[in-house]
Amino acid sequence: MRKILSAIVLFLAFVNVHAQIIAPVKWKSKIEKKSDTEYILQFDGVIEDDWHVYSQFTPDGGPLAMEVLFNNQKDNFEVVGKATESKTRTAFNDVFGVNETFFEHNVQIRQAVKTNPKSNGIFQVELSYQVCKEVCIQENKYFQLDTKTLRGKEVESFEELSLVPSLQSGLVAAAENDTIASKTADVPAGVTKTADKEKTDPWTIFLGTLLAGILVTFTPCVFPMIPMTVSFFIKQNANKAKGKFNAVFYGICIVVIYVLISLPFHLFESLNPDIFSEISTNVYLNLFFFVVFVIFAISFLGAFEITMPNSLANKADNASNLGGLLGVFFMALTLIIVSFSCTGPALGLILGSVLSTEGGAMLLTIAMLGFGLGLAMPFMLFALFPSLMGNLPKSGGWLNAVKVFFGFVELALAFKFLSNADLVLQLHFLEREVFLAIWIAIFAALTLYLFGKLVLPHDSPVTNLSVGRLSLGLLVLSFTIYLIPGLWGAPLKLISGFPPPMTYSESPLGFGAAPASAVTEPLPEGAKLAVHGIVAFEDYDTGVAYAKKVNKPILLDFTGHACVNCRKMEEFVWSDPKVLSVLKNNVVLISLYGDDKRELPENEQYVSKKGNKIKTIGAKWSDFQITRYESNARPLYVLIGTDEKKLNEPIAYTPDIDTYDAWLKEGISKFK
């Protein structure tokens, strides 16, 4: 068992290393002291093969030239002349029609500075440059150099350096050329930084799937097995302690088997870090999940049963006769196989839901761990405390009612995948009103079922309603009534992210509201009226040009038509009056959809730096996001100035209104 767990840990460590985005230039920095007030700041870069960095002196009209910028120059030091460079190459660029100047393999920048009498002896320098191969990456590297130690180090941003000078010197002396990994001091508490790339809270996934695993035990395939299996282990051995150990080990094996199911996805992710993003927006996979969920739902409703092949179950059962811990492992495998008709739909729900997000393979492993633990917990609990089995309810018709309940829920969730496919293709077949009408019908039918007014195959006659069934029926009825105003434009924040957004409906501004064409204020060219009446652009260049015209900062919204967390942000956070006021009046919003499957014109298609053919609008913006900001998180929010440089650190999914509002205002305050 220890060997298996060790192999899992090593495997996960391997894929984690190989899923990183590689920076083409590695930098070191140092200081040379010329006199008590004169210093040379030196920056040495190693450039990966086939990449090149453009010089400060590459001419106008060509690629972006390198800039050496200073953050804390005022009243601290003076810059003496322009930075000098190591050897460069010059070549004619047919595209720009100029002789461009660039570095290959190595680059060195040296800048002379002179300190003032009140100087703190610390220099904060930013190198802004383009590094190119098939495509170009705009990089901004930040350095802090200290005259007391004559050392320099690369940092993540200058915000994290708001420490007193004495502490700064101590940090610089501690290590040379390390990247500060701690959170920045100026980033508001609770903000999710870009580097974290967390799309969904792992604890929410774990607790949700843990609950799903526990609920699945209350199905006809699993529930009767609990007392039988626990009694078998305890009575099999004269030594009760050993019997309890075997039963607990049996539960651990269930958990391990489910975790092992997720491991191949780590391999897929190591080969292609964007695979989960591609799965979440792939039309055919979403349609596949829709069909699978509908089939599972019909099975739960009693039309038929889905079972694994008998030969597979028989082989696992025969292997369980080996004895010892290996035999216990195959007993756990046998349970998983024979109970598939009940656990399969729940397992499909977990796989489909996590794969259709951008949470990554690790999130899937967490989900499978939670589900396996929830399923195994009753077996382990009753093995340790056998006397509790006397409190278990007897098997009966209520088990089938639980199964049918899951069937209705699974049928409702199936339409989320169909909606994803429709949104990505922008077909407008399953708009918000149609989606909600289907959900209302499904949950109304579930209400009738719980009240005993609707009878399905395998149901026992309902002579009276238990308190639990009545309470659940009232809860579902309340939820159904809650959905109805959504047909007329109610926001329905309780299910935010599941139905299509308000902008994807027959009445985008709400039932009875004036159509967008009736808005008296004309929209800027290339803009559209987005959620909550915010003016938004869906093309980067058009939006930037407008921002320069009106001299406002730009909010880049890297989003997706099928992105649940994007919709939650729009419906929970953007709708808040103070946030909405900022979005409408203080920034220019550019929403870039990374899952838009519409094809680019042939003359705009290109090959990415990874060698992938960029053929669709979504692929273009996804590649732009990864290339420019080294992140594929959705949503991702970036505040930039009209010079297209970041005003503060980008953030991902941030559902706290005050945190998001503080982040917006922090970036806007830095706009000049």
Side-chain angles (χ1 to χ4, degrees):
M1 185 69 184
R2 186 178 299 170
K3 291 181 179 179
I4 293 174
L5 294 176
S6 299
I8 292 173
V9 170
L10 288 173
F11 182 83
L12 295 182
F14 171 82
V15 300
N16 186 51
V17 168
H18 284 74
Q20 303 301 315
I21 297 175
I22 299 173
V25 188
K26 304 290 190 259
W27 289 94
K28 290 185 178 181
S29 58
K30 65 179 182 180
I31 301 180
E32 292 181 14
K33 184 175 181 180
K34 296 298 183 181
S35 69
D36 289 341
T37 60
E38 295 176 321
Y39 299 87
I40 300 292
L41 312 181
Q42 182 170 316
F43 307 92
D44 294 287
V46 178
I47 308 170
E48 289 188 4
D49 292 342
D50 301 323
W51 290 85
H52 54 273
V53 173
Y54 288 104
S55 160
Q56 302 171 92
F57 306 106
T58 202
D60 293 338
L64 293 178
M66 175 184 286
E67 291 183 279
V68 183
L69 308 170
F70 301 91
N71 183 56
N72 63 335
Q73 180 179 350
K74 186 178 180 182
D75 300 326
N76 193 24
F77 61 90
E78 297 176 7
V79 177
V80 181
K82 195 171 180 68
T84 60
E85 301 178 344
S86 57
K87 185 179 179 181
T88 59
R89 278 193 58 197
T90 300
F92 184 75
N93 188 315
D94 294 330
V95 176
F96 294 109
V98 296
N99 286 316
E100 57 186 22
T101 305
F102 54 90
F103 305 92
E104 291 181 324
H105 307 302
N106 295 283
V107 52
Q108 184 180 91
I109 305 296
R110 289 167 60 87
Q111 175 67 64
V113 293
K114 184 177 181 180
T115 57
N116 296 330
K118 296 182 180 180
S119 173
N120 62 8
I122 291 181
F123 307 98
Q124 293 178 352
V125 184
E126 175 186 351
L127 295 183
S128 178
Y129 57 90
Q130 264 194 349
V131 53
C132 296
K133 197 177 177 181
E134 289 92 352
V135 295
C136 294
I137 301 173
Q138 178 65 35
E139 289 196 322
N140 296 81
K141 298 294 183 180
Y142 306 92
F143 302 89
Q144 175 166 290
L145 305 98
D146 194 339
T147 57
K148 295 178 182 178
T149 61
L150 298 182
R151 292 179 177 177
K153 68 190 307 181
E154 184 181 336
V155 295
E156 195 170 308
S157 68
F158 292 137
E159 280 83 355
E160 63 195 356
L161 300 173
S162 57
L163 306 168
V164 295
S166 59
L167 285 178
Q168 289 176 324
S169 300
L171 285 171
V172 174
E176 183 177 3
N177 298 306
D178 291 332
T179 300
I180 291 179
S182 59
K183 292 183 178 179
T184 62
D186 291 341
V187 175
V191 167
T192 304
K193 293 182 65 181
T194 306
D196 296 336
K197 294 182 183 177
E198 290 186 281
K199 290 85 178 173
T200 307
D201 180 20
W203 280 109
T204 302
I205 289 291
F206 176 76
L207 294 175
T209 53
L210 178 70
L211 178 62
I214 294 172
L215 292 176
V216 164
T217 61
F218 295 99
T219 56
C221 314
V222 181
F223 187 79
M225 298 292 292
I226 297 174
M228 292 172 56
T229 305
V230 173
S231 299
F232 170 80
F233 282 118
I234 293 177
K235 294 178 181 179
Q236 184 188 37
N237 296 279
N239 185 341
K240 289 187 177 181
K242 185 178 180 181
K244 289 184 178 182
F245 172 79
N246 285 346
V248 172
F249 182 73
Y250 175 82
I252 293 173
C253 290
I254 292 174
V255 177
V256 170
I257 290 169
Y258 278 112
V259 169
L260 288 174
I261 293 173
S262 72
L263 292 190
F265 294 95
H266 287 272
L267 178 61
F268 300 151
E269 190 176 43
S270 69
L271 297 174
N272 179 8
D274 297 330
I275 188 168
F276 279 80
S277 174
E278 292 171 4
I279 289 175
S280 69
T281 59
N282 186 281
V283 173
Y284 299 106
L285 283 174
N286 274 285
L287 291 175
F288 170 76
F289 284 131
F290 167 72
V291 173
V292 169
F293 274 40
V294 169
I295 292 172
F296 276 144
I298 294 173
S299 170
F300 262 25
L301 294 176
F304 52 81
E305 283 197 2
I306 301 172
T307 59
M308 297 285 274
N310 290 331
S311 58
L312 186 61
N314 292 335
K315 287 179 181 178
D317 188 43
N318 292 335
S320 67
N321 297 324
L322 293 172
L325 296 182
L326 187 60
V328 174
F329 176 84
F330 280 103
M331 283 187 66
L333 182 60
T334 303
L335 170 75
I336 291 171
I337 293 172
V338 299
S339 64
F340 182 77
S341 61
C342 291
T343 61
L347 188 60
L349 177 61
I350 292 169
L351 284 169
S353 299
V354 177
L355 290 177
S356 65
T357 69
E358 298 167 34
M362 187 55 70
L363 202 61
L364 179 60
T365 297
I366 291 171
M368 299 302 286
L369 173 66
F371 182 76
L373 185 60
L375 183 61
M377 277 176 59
F379 293 93
M380 295 189 285
L381 179 65
F382 290 116
L384 294 174
F385 306 101
S387 59
L388 294 177
M389 285 195 294
N391 298 323
L392 281 176
K394 294 182 179 180
S395 300
W398 65 272
L399 288 173
N400 189 69
V402 171
K403 190 175 176 182
V404 170
F405 178 86
F406 287 153
F408 277 107
V409 173
E410 191 127 10
L411 183 61
L413 293 176
F415 283 92
K416 173 58 182 170
F417 296 100
L418 185 61
S419 172
N420 285 347
D422 184 63
L423 280 165
V424 168
L425 292 176
Q426 292 287 287
L427 297 177
H428 288 267
F429 288 154
L430 193 61
E431 293 183 323
R432 184 180 177 90
E433 293 88 348
V434 178
F435 182 95
L436 290 175
I438 292 172
W439 267 39
I440 291 169
I442 291 172
F443 286 105
L446 176 56
T447 303
L448 293 174
Y449 176 80
L450 292 172
F451 286 153
K453 303 300 181 182
L454 185 65
V455 180
L456 294 174
H458 312 299
D459 277 333
S460 300
V462 180
T463 56
N464 56 71
L465 295 179
S466 66
V467 174
R469 186 162 181 162
L470 175 62
S471 301
L472 185 59
L474 290 172
L475 182 64
V476 175
L477 176 61
S478 301
F479 179 69
T480 307
I481 295 172
Y482 169 79
L483 294 177
I484 294 173
L487 297 171
W488 288 272
L492 304 181
K493 291 187 177 182
L494 192 62
I495 57 169
S496 175
F498 278 90
M502 281 291 297
T503 53
Y504 197 79
S505 66
E506 295 178 7
S507 303
L509 301 179
F511 181 76
S517 58
V519 177
T520 55
E521 186 72 24
L523 292 174
E525 186 177 354
K528 71 167 193 174
L529 210 57
V531 63
H532 310 307
I534 304 169
V535 175
F537 294 85
E538 292 185 0
D539 179 77
Y540 179 80
D541 293 331
T542 306
V544 170
Y546 179 74
K548 291 178 179 178
K549 179 180 177 181
V550 298
N551 193 32
K552 287 184 179 181
I554 299 162
L555 174 60
L556 294 181
D557 166 32
F558 290 101
T559 184
H561 294 296
C563 170
V564 173
N565 282 347
C566 303
R567 301 293 85 76
K568 288 182 179 179
M569 286 294 295
E570 293 166 4
E571 294 172 21
F572 274 100
V573 180
W574 286 15
S575 62
D576 182 80
K578 57 186 177 184
V579 174
L580 186 58
S581 175
V582 172
L583 296 179
K584 283 188 172 182
N585 302 310
N586 302 113
V587 298
V588 173
L589 177 65
I590 303 178
S591 295
L592 304 177
Y593 290 84
D595 59 1
D596 193 326
K597 298 303 181 184
R598 291 176 295 174
E599 284 206 357
L600 289 164
E602 193 168 344
N603 62 337
E604 294 182 20
Q605 297 178 11
Y606 64 96
V607 178
S608 73
K609 67 173 185 175
K610 293 183 178 180
N612 299 322
K613 183 70 180 291
I614 304 301
K615 300 175 64 177
T616 66
I617 295 173
K620 173 185 175 181
W621 297 133
S622 182
D623 181 59
F624 174 80
Q625 180 186 356
I626 293 171
T627 301
R628 182 72 65 93
Y629 301 108
E630 296 186 349
S631 170
N632 58 359
R634 291 192 205 126
L636 180 73
Y637 304 102
V638 186
L639 273 170
I640 61 175
T642 51
D643 58 358
E644 303 180 46
K645 293 181 180 179
K646 291 186 294 185
L647 296 172
N648 56 359
E649 283 300 310
I651 60 171
Y653 177 61
T654 308
D656 183 78
I657 293 171
D658 291 334
T659 300
Y660 190 78
D661 181 58
W663 174 80
L664 279 174
K665 290 175 179 175
E666 176 207 22
I668 293 170
S669 68
K670 296 180 180 180
F671 175 71
K672 295 181 182 179

